[in-house]
Coordinates of all heavy atoms in Angstrom, one line a residue:
Chain A
L1027 N -108.2 104.1 83.7 CA -108.1 102.8 83.2 C -109.3 101.8 83.5 O -109.5 100.8 82.8 CB -106.8 102.0 83.9 CG -105.4 102.6 83.6 CD1 -104.4 102.0 84.5 CD2 -105.2 102.3 82.0
I1028 N -110.0 102.2 84.3 CA -111.3 101.5 84.8 C -112.5 102.4 84.2 O -113.4 101.8 83.4 CB -111.6 101.4 86.2 CG1 -110.3 100.9 86.8 CG2 -112.8 100.6 86.5 CD1 -110.5 100.7 88.4
L1075 N -100.9 105.4 91.3 CA -101.8 104.2 91.1 C -101.0 103.2 90.2 O -101.0 101.9 90.3 CB -103.1 104.6 90.5 CG -104.0 105.3 91.5 CD1 -105.5 105.6 90.8 CD2 -104.2 104.6 92.7
K1076 N -100.5 103.7 89.1 CA -99.9 102.8 88.0 C -98.8 101.9 88.6 O -98.6 100.8 88.1 CB -99.5 103.5 86.8 CG -100.8 104.1 86.0 CD -100.3 104.7 84.8 CE -101.5 105.3 84.1 NZ -101.1 106.2 82.9
L1078 N -98.6 100.7 91.7 CA -99.2 99.7 92.7 C -98.9 98.3 92.3 O -99.2 98.0 91.2 CB -100.7 100.0 93.0 CG -101.1 101.1 93.9 CD1 -102.6 101.2 94.0 CD2 -100.5 101.1 95.2
N1079 N -98.4 97.6 93.1 CA -98.1 96.2 92.8 C -99.3 95.3 93.6 O -100.1 95.8 94.2 CB -96.8 95.6 93.2 CG -96.5 95.7 94.7 OD1 -97.4 95.7 95.5 ND2 -95.4 95.8 95.1
L1080 N -99.3 94.1 93.2 CA -100.3 93.2 93.7 C -100.5 93.3 95.2 O -101.6 93.5 95.7 CB -100.0 91.7 93.3 CG -101.0 90.8 93.8 CD1 -102.3 90.9 93.0 CD2 -100.5 89.4 93.6
A1081 N -99.4 93.2 96.0 CA -99.5 93.1 97.4 C -100.2 94.4 98.0 O -101.1 94.4 98.9 CB -98.2 93.0 98.0
M1083 N -102.2 96.5 96.3 CA -103.6 96.5 95.8 C -104.4 95.7 96.7 O -105.5 96.1 97.1 CB -103.7 95.9 94.4 CG -103.2 96.7 93.3 SD -104.3 97.8 92.6 CE -105.5 96.6 92.0
L1084 N -103.9 94.5 97.0 CA -104.6 93.5 97.9 C -104.9 94.1 99.3 O -106.0 93.9 99.8 CB -104.0 92.2 98.0 CG -103.9 91.5 96.6 CD1 -103.1 90.0 96.7 CD2 -105.3 91.1 96.2
M1087 N -107.7 96.6 98.9 CA -109.0 95.9 98.8 C -109.5 95.2 99.9 O -110.7 95.1 100.2 CB -108.7 94.8 97.6 CG -108.7 95.5 96.2 SD -108.6 94.0 95.1 CE -107.4 94.7 93.9
S1088 N -108.5 94.7 100.8 CA -109.0 94.0 101.9 C -109.7 94.9 103.0 O -110.3 94.4 103.9 CB -107.7 93.4 102.6 OG -106.9 94.3 103.2
F1090 N -112.2 96.6 102.0 CA -113.5 97.0 101.5 C -114.3 95.6 101.5 O -113.7 94.5 101.5 CB -113.4 97.4 100.0 CG -112.8 98.9 100.0 CD1 -111.6 99.1 100.0 CD2 -113.7 99.9 99.8 CE1 -111.1 100.4 100.0 CE2 -113.3 101.2 99.7 CZ -112.0 101.5 99.9
N1091 N -115.6 95.9 101.7 CA -116.5 94.7 101.9 C -117.3 94.7 100.7 O -118.0 95.5 100.3 CB -117.4 95.2 103.2 CG -118.3 94.0 103.5 OD1 -119.0 93.5 102.6 ND2 -118.2 93.6 104.8
V1092 N -117.4 93.4 100.2 CA -118.2 93.2 98.9 C -119.7 93.6 99.0 O -120.2 94.3 98.3 CB -118.1 91.7 98.6 CG1 -119.0 91.3 97.4 CG2 -116.7 91.4 97.9
A1093 N -120.2 93.2 100.1 CA -121.7 93.4 100.4 C -121.9 94.9 100.3 O -122.9 95.4 99.8 CB -122.1 92.8 101.6
I1095 N -120.2 97.3 99.0 CA -120.1 97.8 97.4 C -121.4 97.5 96.7 O -121.8 98.3 95.9 CB -118.8 97.3 96.9 CG1 -117.5 97.7 97.6 CG2 -118.7 97.9 95.4 CD1 -116.3 97.2 97.0
L1096 N -121.9 96.3 96.9 CA -122.9 95.9 96.2 C -124.3 96.7 96.7 O -125.3 96.6 95.9 CB -123.2 94.4 96.4 CG -122.9 93.6 95.2 CD1 -123.2 92.0 95.4 CD2 -123.5 94.0 93.9
Y1105 N -127.0 94.4 89.5 CA -126.9 93.1 90.1 C -128.3 92.5 90.0 O -128.4 91.3 89.6 CB -126.4 93.1 91.5 CG -126.2 91.8 92.1 CD1 -125.4 90.7 91.5 CD2 -126.9 91.5 93.2 CE1 -125.2 89.4 92.1 CE2 -126.8 90.1 93.8 CZ -125.9 89.2 93.3 OH -125.9 87.9 93.8
S1110 N -124.5 92.7 83.7 CA -123.2 92.4 84.2 C -122.5 93.5 84.8 O -122.5 94.6 84.4 CB -122.4 92.0 82.7 OG -121.1 91.9 83.0
I1111 N -121.7 93.1 85.9 CA -120.8 94.0 86.5 C -119.4 93.3 86.3 O -119.2 92.2 86.9 CB -121.2 94.3 87.9 CG1 -122.5 94.7 88.2 CG2 -120.2 95.3 88.6 CD1 -122.9 94.8 89.6
A1112 N -118.5 94.0 85.7 CA -117.3 93.3 85.6 C -116.5 93.6 86.8 O -116.6 94.7 87.5 CB -116.4 94.0 84.4
L1113 N -115.6 92.7 87.2 CA -115.0 92.8 88.6 C -114.1 94.1 88.7 O -114.0 94.6 89.8 CB -114.2 91.5 88.7 CG -113.4 91.4 90.1 CD1 -114.4 91.5 91.4 CD2 -112.7 90.1 90.2
H1114 N -113.5 94.5 87.6 CA -112.6 95.6 87.8 C -113.4 96.8 88.2 O -112.8 97.8 88.7 CB -111.7 95.8 86.6 CG -112.5 96.4 85.3 ND1 -113.5 95.7 84.7 CD2 -112.6 97.6 84.7 CE1 -114.0 96.3 83.8 NE2 -113.4 97.6 83.8
F1116 N -115.4 97.2 90.5 CA -115.5 97.1 92.0 C -114.1 97.9 92.6 O -114.2 98.3 93.7 CB -115.5 95.7 92.5 CG -116.9 95.2 92.8 CD1 -118.0 95.8 92.1 CD2 -117.2 94.3 93.8 CE1 -119.3 95.4 92.3 CE2 -118.5 93.8 94.0 CZ -119.4 94.4 93.3
I1117 N -113.2 98.0 91.7 CA -111.9 98.5 92.2 C -111.9 100.0 92.2 O -111.1 100.7 92.8 CB -110.7 97.9 91.4 CG1 -110.8 96.5 91.2 CG2 -109.4 98.3 91.9 CD1 -111.0 95.7 92.5
V1120 N -112.0 101.8 95.4 CA -110.9 101.6 96.2 C -109.8 102.6 95.8 O -109.1 103.1 96.5 CB -110.3 100.2 95.8 CG1 -109.0 99.9 96.6 CG2 -111.4 99.2 96.4
L1121 N -109.6 102.7 94.5 CA -108.5 103.6 93.9 C -108.9 105.1 94.3 O -108.0 105.9 94.7 CB -108.4 103.4 92.4 CG -107.9 102.0 92.0 CD1 -107.8 101.9 90.5 CD2 -106.7 101.5 92.8
Chain B
L539 N -100.8 85.7 99.4 CA -101.0 87.0 99.9 C -102.5 87.2 100.1 O -102.9 88.1 100.9 CB -100.6 88.0 98.8 CG -99.1 88.1 98.6 CD1 -98.8 89.0 97.4 CD2 -98.4 88.8 99.9
I540 N -103.3 86.5 99.5 CA -104.7 86.5 99.8 C -105.2 85.4 100.6 O -105.8 85.6 101.6 CB -105.6 86.4 98.4 CG1 -105.1 87.4 97.4 CG2 -107.0 86.6 98.7 CD1 -105.9 87.4 96.0
L587 N -97.0 87.1 89.4 CA -98.0 87.7 90.1 C -97.6 89.0 90.8 O -98.2 90.1 90.8 CB -98.9 86.9 91.1 CG -99.6 85.8 90.5 CD1 -100.3 85.0 91.6 CD2 -100.6 86.2 89.4
K588 N -96.5 89.0 91.5 CA -96.1 90.1 92.3 C -95.7 91.2 91.5 O -95.7 92.4 91.9 CB -94.9 89.7 93.3 CG -95.5 88.8 94.4 CD -94.3 88.5 95.3 CE -94.7 87.4 96.5 NZ -93.7 87.0 97.3
L590 N -97.2 92.1 88.8 CA -98.4 92.8 88.0 C -98.7 94.2 88.4 O -98.7 94.4 89.6 CB -99.7 91.9 88.3 CG -99.8 90.6 87.6 CD1 -101.1 89.9 88.0 CD2 -99.9 90.7 86.1
N591 N -98.9 95.0 87.5 CA -99.3 96.4 87.8 C -100.8 96.6 87.7 O -101.5 95.8 87.3 CB -98.5 97.4 87.0 CG -98.7 97.3 85.5 OD1 -99.9 96.9 85.2 ND2 -97.8 97.7 84.7
L592 N -101.1 97.8 88.1 CA -102.6 98.1 88.1 C -103.3 97.8 86.8 O -104.3 97.1 86.7 CB -102.8 99.6 88.5 CG -104.3 99.9 88.5 CD1 -105.0 99.4 89.7 CD2 -104.4 101.5 88.7
M595 N -103.6 94.1 86.2 CA -104.5 93.5 87.2 C -106.0 93.8 86.6 O -106.9 93.0 86.7 CB -104.5 94.1 88.6 CG -103.2 93.8 89.3 SD -103.4 92.3 90.2 CE -104.8 92.8 91.3
L596 N -106.1 95.1 86.2 CA -107.6 95.6 85.8 C -108.0 94.8 84.6 O -109.2 94.4 84.5 CB -107.6 97.0 85.7 CG -107.4 97.8 87.0 CD1 -107.4 99.3 86.6 CD2 -108.6 97.6 87.9
M599 N -109.1 91.4 85.6 CA -110.4 91.5 86.5 C -111.6 91.8 85.6 O -112.6 91.4 85.8 CB -110.3 92.6 87.5 CG -109.5 92.3 88.7 SD -109.6 93.5 89.8 CE -107.9 93.7 90.4
S600 N -111.3 92.5 84.5 CA -112.4 92.9 83.6 C -113.0 91.8 83.0 O -114.1 91.8 82.3 CB -111.9 94.0 82.5 OG -111.1 93.4 81.7
F602 N -113.9 89.0 84.4 CA -114.7 88.4 85.4 C -115.9 89.1 85.8 O -116.0 90.4 85.9 CB -113.9 88.1 86.7 CG -112.9 87.1 86.5 CD1 -111.6 87.4 85.8 CD2 -112.9 85.8 86.8 CE1 -110.6 86.4 85.5 CE2 -112.1 84.8 86.5 CZ -110.9 85.1 85.8
N603 N -117.0 88.5 86.1 CA -118.3 89.0 86.5 C -118.7 88.9 87.8 O -118.5 87.7 88.3 CB -119.3 88.2 85.5 CG -120.7 88.7 85.5 OD1 -121.2 88.9 86.7 ND2 -121.2 89.0 84.5
V604 N -118.9 89.9 88.5 CA -119.1 90.0 89.9 C -120.3 88.9 90.3 O -120.2 88.1 91.2 CB -119.7 91.3 90.4 CG1 -120.2 91.3 91.7 CG2 -118.4 92.3 90.3
A605 N -121.4 88.9 89.5 CA -122.5 88.1 89.9 C -122.1 86.6 89.8 O -122.6 85.8 90.6 CB -123.7 88.3 88.9
I607 N -119.1 85.4 90.3 CA -118.3 85.1 91.4 C -119.1 84.9 92.7 O -119.0 84.0 93.5 CB -117.2 86.1 91.7 CG1 -116.2 86.3 90.5 CG2 -116.3 85.8 92.9 CD1 -115.3 87.3 90.6
L608 N -120.2 85.7 92.8 CA -121.0 85.6 94.0 C -121.9 84.3 94.0 O -122.4 84.0 95.1 CB -121.9 86.9 94.0 CG -121.6 87.9 95.1 CD1 -122.6 89.0 95.1 CD2 -121.3 87.4 96.5
Y617 N -122.4 85.9 101.7 CA -123.2 87.1 101.3 C -124.6 87.0 101.9 O -125.1 87.9 102.5 CB -123.2 87.1 99.7 CG -123.9 88.4 99.3 CD1 -123.5 89.7 99.6 CD2 -125.1 88.3 98.4 CE1 -124.2 90.7 99.1 CE2 -125.8 89.4 98.0 CZ -125.3 90.6 98.3 OH -125.9 91.7 97.8
S622 N -119.1 89.0 106.3 CA -118.2 89.9 105.6 C -117.4 89.0 104.6 O -116.9 88.0 104.9 CB -117.3 90.5 106.5 OG -116.4 91.2 105.7
I623 N -117.4 89.6 103.3 CA -116.4 89.0 102.3 C -115.5 90.2 101.9 O -116.1 91.3 101.5 CB -117.1 88.6 101.0 CG1 -118.2 87.5 101.3 CG2 -116.2 88.2 100.0 CD1 -119.1 87.3 100.1
A624 N -114.3 90.2 102.2 CA -113.4 91.4 101.7 C -113.1 91.4 100.3 O -113.0 90.2 99.8 CB -112.1 91.3 102.6
L625 N -113.0 92.5 99.8 CA -113.0 92.6 98.3 C -111.8 91.9 97.8 O -111.9 91.3 96.7 CB -112.9 94.1 97.9 CG -112.8 94.5 96.4 CD1 -113.9 93.7 95.7 CD2 -113.0 96.0 96.2
H626 N -110.7 91.8 98.5 CA -109.6 91.1 98.0 C -109.7 89.5 97.7 O -109.1 89.0 96.9 CB -108.3 91.4 98.8 CG -108.2 90.6 100.1 ND1 -109.0 91.0 101.2 CD2 -107.4 89.7 100.5 CE1 -108.9 90.1 102.1 NE2 -107.9 89.4 101.8
F628 N -112.3 88.3 96.3 CA -112.7 88.0 94.9 C -111.6 87.9 93.9 O -111.8 87.5 92.8 CB -113.6 89.3 94.6 CG -115.1 89.1 94.9 CD1 -115.4 88.2 95.9 CD2 -116.0 89.8 94.1 CE1 -116.8 88.1 96.2 CE2 -117.4 89.5 94.4 CZ -117.8 88.7 95.5
I629 N -110.3 88.4 94.3 CA -109.4 88.4 93.3 C -108.7 87.1 93.2 O -108.0 86.8 92.3 CB -108.3 89.5 93.7 CG1 -109.0 90.8 94.0 CG2 -107.3 89.8 92.6 CD1 -109.8 91.4 92.9
V632 N -109.2 85.1 90.1 CA -108.6 85.8 89.0 C -107.1 85.4 88.8 O -106.6 85.0 87.8 CB -108.7 87.2 89.1 CG1 -108.1 88.0 88.0 CG2 -110.2 87.7 89.3
L633 N -106.4 85.4 90.0 CA -105.1 85.1 90.0 C -104.8 83.6 89.7 O -103.8 83.3 89.0 CB -104.4 85.5 91.3 CG -104.5 87.0 91.6 CD1 -103.9 87.3 93.0 CD2 -103.9 88.0 90.6

Side-chain angles (χ1 to χ4, degrees):
Chain A
L1027 293 170
I1028 307 180
L1075 293 182
K1076 287 182 184 173
L1078 282 178
N1079 64 27
L1080 179 70
M1083 290 272 300
L1084 292 174
M1087 285 186 222
S1088 70
F1090 290 79
N1091 183 308
V1092 166
I1095 300 178
L1096 257 186
Y1105 181 63
S1110 171
I1111 305 170
L1113 179 54
H1114 72 292
F1116 266 29
I1117 312 305
V1120 176
L1121 299 182
Chain B
L539 292 168
I540 307 180
L587 293 182
K588 287 182 182 172
L590 281 178
N591 64 27
L592 179 69
M595 290 272 299
L596 292 174
M599 284 186 221
S600 71
F602 289 78
N603 184 308
V604 166
I607 300 178
L608 257 185
Y617 181 64
S622 172
I623 305 170
L625 179 53
H626 72 292
F628 266 29
I629 313 304
V632 176
L633 300 181

